[in-house]
Amino acid sequence: FFFQAEDGIRDAQESRGLGDVYKRQTYDLVDNVCFNHCVKWLEDGLAFIILDEQELAKQVLPKFFRHRNYSSFVRILNMYKFMKTKSVKNKDVFSHPHFVRNQTGLFEADH
């Protein structure tokens, strides 16, 4: 069955909650090399950096979520305990202990 989240994400698996869907969609967004011009993993894979907030909001967020608002994206990251860990050249960097490149099982097990 399909789960239609309040933010417009369609999930082909049975839902375990909006947080699972949001984290999976965020992972897919960050992990997609097509979007590396505006968001990408840091070299260690433990965090991701937002390189271009405006491009992310205008072109990328609508592909994954039902909005184009960078502030809303950050607010939801904060709600799911992502931390703004540091700023690299005045760019936002976010991390979560269960959000690691090539380890999707970590956040899927996080309840």
Side-chain angles (χ1 to χ4, degrees), residues 3-102:
F3 169 75
Q4 182 76 32
E6 68 183 45
D7 60 2
I9 301 165
R10 289 184 59 84
D11 184 14
Q13 298 178 359
E14 188 169 334
S15 173
R16 293 183 307 265
L18 179 58
D20 295 328
V21 174
Y22 189 84
K23 286 183 279 187
R24 187 169 43 255
Q25 291 297 101
T26 301
Y27 183 92
D28 291 344
L29 182 161
V30 173
D31 205 49
N32 190 325
V33 296
C34 294
F35 306 127
N36 279 358
H37 63 286
C38 59
V39 60
K40 68 178 185 176
W41 292 106
L42 292 184
E43 193 171 311
D44 64 8
L46 299 176
F48 63 93
I49 185 169
I50 307 297
L51 299 168
D52 187 337
E53 292 176 18
Q54 292 180 339
E55 183 71 12
L56 180 73
K58 183 178 177 184
Q59 299 297 326
V60 180
L61 290 182
K63 295 178 188 308
F64 292 88
F65 311 106
R66 226 181 15 181
H67 65 80
R68 297 175 183 261
N69 189 316
Y70 181 73
S71 295
S72 294
F73 177 68
V74 171
R75 188 176 315 112
I76 296 170
L77 288 175
N78 291 331
M79 187 171 75
Y80 291 111
K81 300 180 183 170
F82 282 78
M83 298 297 295
K84 189 172 175 182
T85 57
K86 56 187 169 183
S87 182
V88 177
K89 296 182 182 177
N90 295 321
K91 305 295 182 186
D92 292 341
V93 175
F94 294 93
S95 67
H96 186 287
H98 297 149
F99 195 84
V100 179
R101 182 177 50 213
N102 299 324

